[in-house]
Amino acid sequence: MRNAILTLALAGAAAGTAFGAPAKNTVTNTVTSTGDDALVVATDAYRWVGDTLYQDEFKAWAVSPEEIHSTYKGRPGYFMPVEQTWRRKNDLRSYPVLREPNPLLQAVYNMGLDEMVNAVEPDTTLRTGKEWAGVWTRDVSYSIILSMAALQPEASMISLMKKVNKEGQIIQDTGSGGAWPVSTDRMVWTLAAWEIYKVTGDRKWLERVYPIIVRSIYKDARTIVSDRGLVKGETSFIDWREQSYPKWMQTADISQSEAMGTNVLYAAALGAASQMAAELRKKSEALEFGKASADMASAIDRTFWMPDKGYYGMYTYGRDCKILNPRAETLGESLAILYDVAPADRQKSISQNNPHTPYGPGIFYPQIADMPNYHNNALWPFVASYWALAQAKAGNEKGTLEGIGSVVRPAALFATNKENFNLDNGDYFTELNSSNMLWSLSGNLALTNRILFGIHFEKDGLLIKPFVPQALAGQRSLDNFPYRGGRLNITVDGYGANVKSLTVNGKSYPADKVIPADVLKNGANISVEMDSRPIPEMKVNNVANLKAPLTPMAWLDNDGTATDGKPLMNELRWNPIEYIGEYIVLRDGREVGRTHTTSWPAAEEGEWQVIGVAGDGTQGFASEPRSNRARAAVQPGAEKTVMSSKEVSYPAKDGVKGYHGAGFAELDHGSAPLEFPIDLDEGVYTIAFRYANGNGPVNTENKCAVRSLSVDGVDAGTVVMPQRGVGNWDDWGMSNTVRISVPAGRHVVKLEYDSDDENMNLATNHALVDEMVVERVSDSSEK
């Protein structure tokens, strides 16, 4: 076998330990391998043995610390080229130098550094990927947290400040339906800004970013916080609507969904804002944000925890009556552990129960059967890296190894840090992909820096707490690691979850204490000896990749015997799903029965849905809600309207087509408020608006229209009207619903622009509205 002895090229100079430019006159040093035949990790999909990774008939190995070779050829019928060799091309003398007993891990780490240098643009911003120029809020933020704050602090600062708008708020730069408030994970910027402060200790940076964060929090509080105290909007980074939501869900529906992952990062961001406030001696704000963080963490636990599965569900969804999607979502589960949003016992449970396929943890699990591979049916290395970090924090040795393996496997086989992979076969052929991805390479580097060397940045110094699985036992060193103007040389010897001894510049230091920044600012030699005792065994939920049943298409049938004001529909029907075990029938979000047939009596008023369940108990998505409540449609400025169960369509005009009634109103920044008078009995109702927004595509850009809703002059909520396709002004859809409670009588509903309604575009906040739809809420959904 190859490489019993590793040769490490050193470039003399001041650091004396870093790779130089591809050059002459190098000095050599040797590190002995732990053995070419030592098994690191094996799953049903691949084996990592010594310096070589095997998958099917392919293999990849470290030729040297500066070169990886792979025999991977790609799958039949795929036409994307495969990069079979990586060789260092950049001067790495300014960066950390890893001496590592496992040759492949060492080379993969160096590939991460090499591609990191590629990612720094001439303007000192961090490029998203080889195929993706520019800075994106969530991509750069997750990358900064993983590694870039430590290794590229200046570029990290500049990149974050590129994502602040002229109003001094964090930019939500992409997302379904026109970004904010459909996509609401921009607060990950806060966690990245806090990480930079912990790395640098730069108080001016803290003073600069804190007001931006506060403005962003207060704007969100007006628009995206639900009655449960959770933030609404799609799951963080999973921003292609149909890739993770049922096909029937409109982007307006997603805007009202509550995503576990987005809420976890938001709770963590509020906690970071509290710590920032405390550092800046803003005591009342520190208490306010700290309490908000704790309250949101409690709401997350109440809403998403699934005792039967041992992890959090992915998101709530529906229309008026939300239900929980029971899928696992790996990034959210990981962040819940890493930021202590989940209680300690929950963290252990998540670690052992979140599904782990042969290629690694999927973005979510189970998969959607009739969707291609991208977020669906995929592994993303940056997510797998967060999962590996979470597994190490939870103390799960096997889970940590499989997490590390799920990142090293594709990096080695494809000789680059690609963005995503097919979870069925491990290939990189998906809907969209790129090499040299910033967050992928950042995750790669974090595995070594944060797990094997245990580098944890605190506001006042460093906590060194390695977690070294026995399969990676040995002596390793990380020299020339930058920290607050100095350079650290860190050596870790042995394996285990506990530090036996720790010295700083030869002096013993308590292993569980933060090493003050002042001790390290001029550089230091840190030596760590692990206890080399077996790590208590924890399980991993190893599962085959699984597709959930298809989503039923359901409708309400009627017997044609309706009377005035009474609903016509009296039976829920749906198309049969192949290979189904049974169906769950829901009314107003609650299970009312199970059946093997394809119909159910629906005489009672409510929102009706059905879920297909496979023979093994795996649930698909619930069908689109079908309502048999009484409803009224009201045009802007219409005279008094009485509740009716029938809508009326009117002929189309020239130009825009498909509207109801005599016309439509156009909303823009300067538009007058729309008023809708209506007579209602005492009770609870939902209000929604039929609208068109052709200002952008369904899956990106930032022109979601937002307006404030009031009833009789009292604020009632926010109406969200996302983009429905470029130029699609004839494509009319429904906004989100807002629930109101009113006494009997005539009421005036008003839709108007408020400064809190400004979207991320700032210039375009525009839509057409042709009617308001009011529905009476049935008694069961009020309970």
Side-chain angles (χ1 to χ4, degrees), residues 55-79:
Q55 179 184 316
D56 301 327
E57 69 272 31
F58 309 119
K59 63 181 180 179
W61 66 95
V63 176
S64 77
E66 299 181 279
E67 183 174 349
I68 295 171
H69 189 72
S70 170
T71 64
Y72 194 83
K73 300 294 186 186
R75 299 289 168 178
Y78 293 174
F79 302 108

mmCIF file of all heavy atoms in Angstrom, residues 55-79:
data_model
loop_
_atom_site.group_PDB
_atom_site.id
_atom_site.type_symbol
_atom_site.label_atom_id
_atom_site.label_comp_id
_atom_site.label_asym_id
_atom_site.label_seq_id
_atom_site.Cartn_x
_atom_site.Cartn_y
_atom_site.Cartn_z
ATOM 1 N N GLN A 55 -15.412 3.231 -2.822
ATOM 2 C CA GLN A 55 -16.857 3.203 -3.070
ATOM 3 C C GLN A 55 -17.097 2.437 -4.360
ATOM 4 O O GLN A 55 -16.631 2.849 -5.430
ATOM 5 C CB GLN A 55 -17.428 4.614 -3.186
ATOM 6 C CG GLN A 55 -18.934 4.635 -3.471
ATOM 7 C CD GLN A 55 -19.464 6.036 -3.677
ATOM 8 O OE1 GLN A 55 -19.126 6.954 -2.950
ATOM 9 N NE2 GLN A 55 -20.302 6.204 -4.700
ATOM 10 N N ASP A 56 -17.821 1.326 -4.247
ATOM 11 C CA ASP A 56 -18.043 0.465 -5.404
ATOM 12 C C ASP A 56 -16.688 0.134 -6.040
ATOM 13 O O ASP A 56 -15.760 -0.265 -5.360
ATOM 14 C CB ASP A 56 -18.996 1.137 -6.401
ATOM 15 C CG ASP A 56 -20.344 1.459 -5.768
ATOM 16 O OD1 ASP A 56 -20.780 0.686 -4.894
ATOM 17 O OD2 ASP A 56 -20.945 2.476 -6.146
ATOM 18 N N GLU A 57 -16.567 0.338 -7.352
ATOM 19 C CA GLU A 57 -15.309 0.026 -8.026
ATOM 20 C C GLU A 57 -14.327 1.186 -8.010
ATOM 21 O O GLU A 57 -13.217 1.091 -8.563
ATOM 22 C CB GLU A 57 -15.577 -0.379 -9.487
ATOM 23 C CG GLU A 57 -16.058 0.737 -10.397
ATOM 24 C CD GLU A 57 -17.572 0.926 -10.419
ATOM 25 O OE1 GLU A 57 -18.221 0.650 -9.381
ATOM 26 O OE2 GLU A 57 -18.091 1.346 -11.461
ATOM 27 N N PHE A 58 -14.697 2.284 -7.356
ATOM 28 C CA PHE A 58 -13.868 3.486 -7.367
ATOM 29 C C PHE A 58 -13.074 3.612 -6.066
ATOM 30 O O PHE A 58 -13.457 3.077 -5.026
ATOM 31 C CB PHE A 58 -14.734 4.735 -7.544
ATOM 32 C CG PHE A 58 -15.675 4.653 -8.717
ATOM 33 C CD1 PHE A 58 -17.045 4.734 -8.523
ATOM 34 C CD2 PHE A 58 -15.189 4.493 -10.007
ATOM 35 C CE1 PHE A 58 -17.922 4.658 -9.593
ATOM 36 C CE2 PHE A 58 -16.064 4.411 -11.089
ATOM 37 C CZ PHE A 58 -17.432 4.494 -10.882
ATOM 38 N N LYS A 59 -12.008 4.390 -6.166
ATOM 39 C CA LYS A 59 -11.261 4.707 -4.950
ATOM 40 C C LYS A 59 -10.587 6.067 -5.101
ATOM 41 O O LYS A 59 -10.358 6.559 -6.222
ATOM 42 C CB LYS A 59 -10.221 3.633 -4.639
ATOM 43 C CG LYS A 59 -9.119 3.463 -5.668
ATOM 44 C CD LYS A 59 -8.168 2.346 -5.237
ATOM 45 C CE LYS A 59 -7.046 2.152 -6.262
ATOM 46 N NZ LYS A 59 -6.117 1.079 -5.835
ATOM 47 N N ALA A 60 -10.280 6.671 -3.952
ATOM 48 C CA ALA A 60 -9.543 7.934 -3.916
ATOM 49 C C ALA A 60 -8.517 7.838 -2.810
ATOM 50 O O ALA A 60 -8.779 7.237 -1.763
ATOM 51 C CB ALA A 60 -10.495 9.099 -3.670
ATOM 52 N N TRP A 61 -7.349 8.419 -3.017
ATOM 53 C CA TRP A 61 -6.307 8.317 -2.009
ATOM 54 C C TRP A 61 -5.428 9.575 -2.016
ATOM 55 O O TRP A 61 -5.408 10.345 -2.977
ATOM 56 C CB TRP A 61 -5.453 7.075 -2.243
ATOM 57 C CG TRP A 61 -4.637 7.074 -3.501
ATOM 58 C CD1 TRP A 61 -3.341 7.455 -3.640
ATOM 59 C CD2 TRP A 61 -5.083 6.697 -4.810
ATOM 60 N NE1 TRP A 61 -2.934 7.337 -4.946
ATOM 61 C CE2 TRP A 61 -3.972 6.849 -5.680
ATOM 62 C CE3 TRP A 61 -6.291 6.218 -5.330
ATOM 63 C CZ2 TRP A 61 -4.070 6.571 -7.048
ATOM 64 C CZ3 TRP A 61 -6.369 5.922 -6.678
ATOM 65 C CH2 TRP A 61 -5.272 6.102 -7.513
ATOM 66 N N ALA A 62 -4.694 9.740 -0.925
ATOM 67 C CA ALA A 62 -3.762 10.848 -0.808
ATOM 68 C C ALA A 62 -2.422 10.428 -1.380
ATOM 69 O O ALA A 62 -1.760 9.541 -0.845
ATOM 70 C CB ALA A 62 -3.607 11.250 0.653
ATOM 71 N N VAL A 63 -2.037 11.048 -2.472
ATOM 72 C CA VAL A 63 -0.710 10.816 -3.033
ATOM 73 C C VAL A 63 0.340 11.448 -2.130
ATOM 74 O O VAL A 63 1.422 10.901 -1.908
ATOM 75 C CB VAL A 63 -0.621 11.401 -4.455
ATOM 76 C CG1 VAL A 63 0.781 11.255 -5.034
ATOM 77 C CG2 VAL A 63 -1.654 10.739 -5.363
ATOM 78 N N SER A 64 -0.013 12.610 -1.572
ATOM 79 C CA SER A 64 0.820 13.341 -0.623
ATOM 80 C C SER A 64 -0.094 14.314 0.098
ATOM 81 O O SER A 64 -1.292 14.413 -0.231
ATOM 82 C CB SER A 64 1.932 14.099 -1.360
ATOM 83 O OG SER A 64 1.404 15.268 -1.980
ATOM 84 N N PRO A 65 0.422 15.069 1.069
ATOM 85 C CA PRO A 65 -0.438 16.093 1.703
ATOM 86 C C PRO A 65 -0.921 17.157 0.738
ATOM 87 O O PRO A 65 -1.827 17.911 1.060
ATOM 88 C CB PRO A 65 0.479 16.696 2.778
ATOM 89 C CG PRO A 65 1.470 15.637 3.076
ATOM 90 C CD PRO A 65 1.725 14.959 1.756
ATOM 91 N N GLU A 66 -0.324 17.208 -0.460
ATOM 92 C CA GLU A 66 -0.671 18.241 -1.436
ATOM 93 C C GLU A 66 -1.331 17.695 -2.691
ATOM 94 O O GLU A 66 -1.483 18.404 -3.669
ATOM 95 C CB GLU A 66 0.588 19.019 -1.837
ATOM 96 C CG GLU A 66 1.246 19.736 -0.682
ATOM 97 C CD GLU A 66 2.465 20.512 -1.129
ATOM 98 O OE1 GLU A 66 3.531 19.884 -1.279
ATOM 99 O OE2 GLU A 66 2.332 21.721 -1.341
ATOM 100 N N GLU A 67 -1.748 16.421 -2.649
ATOM 101 C CA GLU A 67 -2.327 15.843 -3.862
ATOM 102 C C GLU A 67 -3.274 14.693 -3.512
ATOM 103 O O GLU A 67 -2.963 13.846 -2.672
ATOM 104 C CB GLU A 67 -1.223 15.323 -4.792
ATOM 105 C CG GLU A 67 -1.748 14.766 -6.109
ATOM 106 C CD GLU A 67 -0.642 14.395 -7.064
ATOM 107 O OE1 GLU A 67 0.529 14.767 -6.800
ATOM 108 O OE2 GLU A 67 -0.930 13.731 -8.084
ATOM 109 N N ILE A 68 -4.441 14.707 -4.164
ATOM 110 C CA ILE A 68 -5.417 13.624 -4.055
ATOM 111 C C ILE A 68 -5.698 13.106 -5.454
ATOM 112 O O ILE A 68 -5.861 13.893 -6.398
ATOM 113 C CB ILE A 68 -6.735 14.120 -3.419
ATOM 114 C CG1 ILE A 68 -6.502 14.568 -1.967
ATOM 115 C CG2 ILE A 68 -7.817 13.023 -3.451
ATOM 116 C CD1 ILE A 68 -7.696 15.274 -1.350
ATOM 117 N N HIS A 69 -5.771 11.790 -5.590
ATOM 118 C CA HIS A 69 -6.123 11.193 -6.875
ATOM 119 C C HIS A 69 -7.344 10.301 -6.695
ATOM 120 O O HIS A 69 -7.485 9.630 -5.674
ATOM 121 C CB HIS A 69 -4.971 10.378 -7.453
ATOM 122 C CG HIS A 69 -5.225 9.934 -8.864
ATOM 123 N ND1 HIS A 69 -5.206 10.800 -9.932
ATOM 124 C CD2 HIS A 69 -5.545 8.716 -9.380
ATOM 125 C CE1 HIS A 69 -5.485 10.139 -11.039
ATOM 126 N NE2 HIS A 69 -5.694 8.871 -10.742
ATOM 127 N N SER A 70 -8.218 10.305 -7.700
ATOM 128 C CA SER A 70 -9.447 9.522 -7.650
ATOM 129 C C SER A 70 -9.660 8.809 -8.972
ATOM 130 O O SER A 70 -9.338 9.347 -10.040
ATOM 131 C CB SER A 70 -10.651 10.431 -7.367
ATOM 132 O OG SER A 70 -11.870 9.740 -7.539
ATOM 133 N N THR A 71 -10.236 7.613 -8.897
ATOM 134 C CA THR A 71 -10.585 6.874 -10.117
ATOM 135 C C THR A 71 -12.058 7.032 -10.472
ATOM 136 O O THR A 71 -12.551 6.343 -11.377
ATOM 137 C CB THR A 71 -10.274 5.369 -9.944
ATOM 138 O OG1 THR A 71 -11.117 4.826 -8.905
ATOM 139 C CG2 THR A 71 -8.821 5.150 -9.574
ATOM 140 N N TYR A 72 -12.751 7.920 -9.789
ATOM 141 C CA TYR A 72 -14.196 8.055 -10.024
ATOM 142 C C TYR A 72 -14.476 8.482 -11.463
ATOM 143 O O TYR A 72 -13.862 9.411 -11.981
ATOM 144 C CB TYR A 72 -14.793 9.069 -9.051
ATOM 145 C CG TYR A 72 -16.306 9.023 -8.997
ATOM 146 C CD1 TYR A 72 -16.956 8.101 -8.201
ATOM 147 C CD2 TYR A 72 -17.072 9.898 -9.766
ATOM 148 C CE1 TYR A 72 -18.343 8.038 -8.159
ATOM 149 C CE2 TYR A 72 -18.459 9.842 -9.735
ATOM 150 C CZ TYR A 72 -19.087 8.914 -8.936
ATOM 151 O OH TYR A 72 -20.451 8.858 -8.902
ATOM 152 N N LYS A 73 -15.438 7.815 -12.100
ATOM 153 C CA LYS A 73 -15.755 8.078 -13.509
ATOM 154 C C LYS A 73 -17.109 8.728 -13.714
ATOM 155 O O LYS A 73 -17.461 9.096 -14.823
ATOM 156 C CB LYS A 73 -15.731 6.759 -14.304
ATOM 157 C CG LYS A 73 -14.396 6.029 -14.289
ATOM 158 C CD LYS A 73 -13.322 6.803 -15.007
ATOM 159 C CE LYS A 73 -12.037 5.987 -15.092
ATOM 160 N NZ LYS A 73 -10.929 6.749 -15.667
ATOM 161 N N GLY A 74 -17.915 8.821 -12.669
ATOM 162 C CA GLY A 74 -19.264 9.339 -12.853
ATOM 163 C C GLY A 74 -20.232 8.246 -13.223
ATOM 164 O O GLY A 74 -19.853 7.137 -13.594
ATOM 165 N N ARG A 75 -21.502 8.533 -13.125
ATOM 166 C CA ARG A 75 -22.540 7.544 -13.414
ATOM 167 C C ARG A 75 -22.873 7.507 -14.902
ATOM 168 O O ARG A 75 -22.825 8.540 -15.581
ATOM 169 C CB ARG A 75 -23.794 7.880 -12.606
ATOM 170 C CG ARG A 75 -23.572 7.852 -11.107
ATOM 171 C CD ARG A 75 -23.381 6.447 -10.584
ATOM 172 N NE ARG A 75 -22.894 6.447 -9.209
ATOM 173 C CZ ARG A 75 -22.673 5.356 -8.502
ATOM 174 N NH1 ARG A 75 -22.895 4.174 -9.033
ATOM 175 N NH2 ARG A 75 -22.215 5.429 -7.271
ATOM 176 N N PRO A 76 -23.252 6.354 -15.444
ATOM 177 C CA PRO A 76 -23.622 6.261 -16.865
ATOM 178 C C PRO A 76 -24.716 7.260 -17.225
ATOM 179 O O PRO A 76 -25.695 7.423 -16.490
ATOM 180 C CB PRO A 76 -24.126 4.821 -17.001
ATOM 181 C CG PRO A 76 -23.454 4.074 -15.887
ATOM 182 C CD PRO A 76 -23.344 5.057 -14.750
ATOM 183 N N GLY A 77 -24.523 7.959 -18.336
ATOM 184 C CA GLY A 77 -25.524 8.910 -18.797
ATOM 185 C C GLY A 77 -25.352 10.309 -18.226
ATOM 186 O O GLY A 77 -26.055 11.228 -18.626
ATOM 187 N N TYR A 78 -24.401 10.496 -17.278
ATOM 188 C CA TYR A 78 -24.153 11.819 -16.722
ATOM 189 C C TYR A 78 -23.022 12.463 -17.520
ATOM 190 O O TYR A 78 -22.017 11.826 -17.814
ATOM 191 C CB TYR A 78 -23.759 11.737 -15.247
ATOM 192 C CG TYR A 78 -24.856 11.253 -14.333
ATOM 193 C CD1 TYR A 78 -24.593 11.012 -12.982
ATOM 194 C CD2 TYR A 78 -26.149 11.031 -14.790
ATOM 195 C CE1 TYR A 78 -25.591 10.571 -12.124
ATOM 196 C CE2 TYR A 78 -27.150 10.588 -13.950
ATOM 197 C CZ TYR A 78 -26.856 10.349 -12.619
ATOM 198 O OH TYR A 78 -27.847 9.919 -11.773
ATOM 199 N N PHE A 79 -23.180 13.733 -17.847
ATOM 200 C CA PHE A 79 -22.242 14.355 -18.765
ATOM 201 C C PHE A 79 -21.374 15.421 -18.100
ATOM 202 O O PHE A 79 -20.598 16.078 -18.756
ATOM 203 C CB PHE A 79 -23.010 14.979 -19.939
ATOM 204 C CG PHE A 79 -23.847 13.967 -20.665
ATOM 205 C CD1 PHE A 79 -25.219 13.974 -20.542
ATOM 206 C CD2 PHE A 79 -23.253 12.989 -21.446
ATOM 207 C CE1 PHE A 79 -26.005 13.034 -21.194
ATOM 208 C CE2 PHE A 79 -24.020 12.049 -22.104
ATOM 209 C CZ PHE A 79 -25.396 12.071 -21.981
#
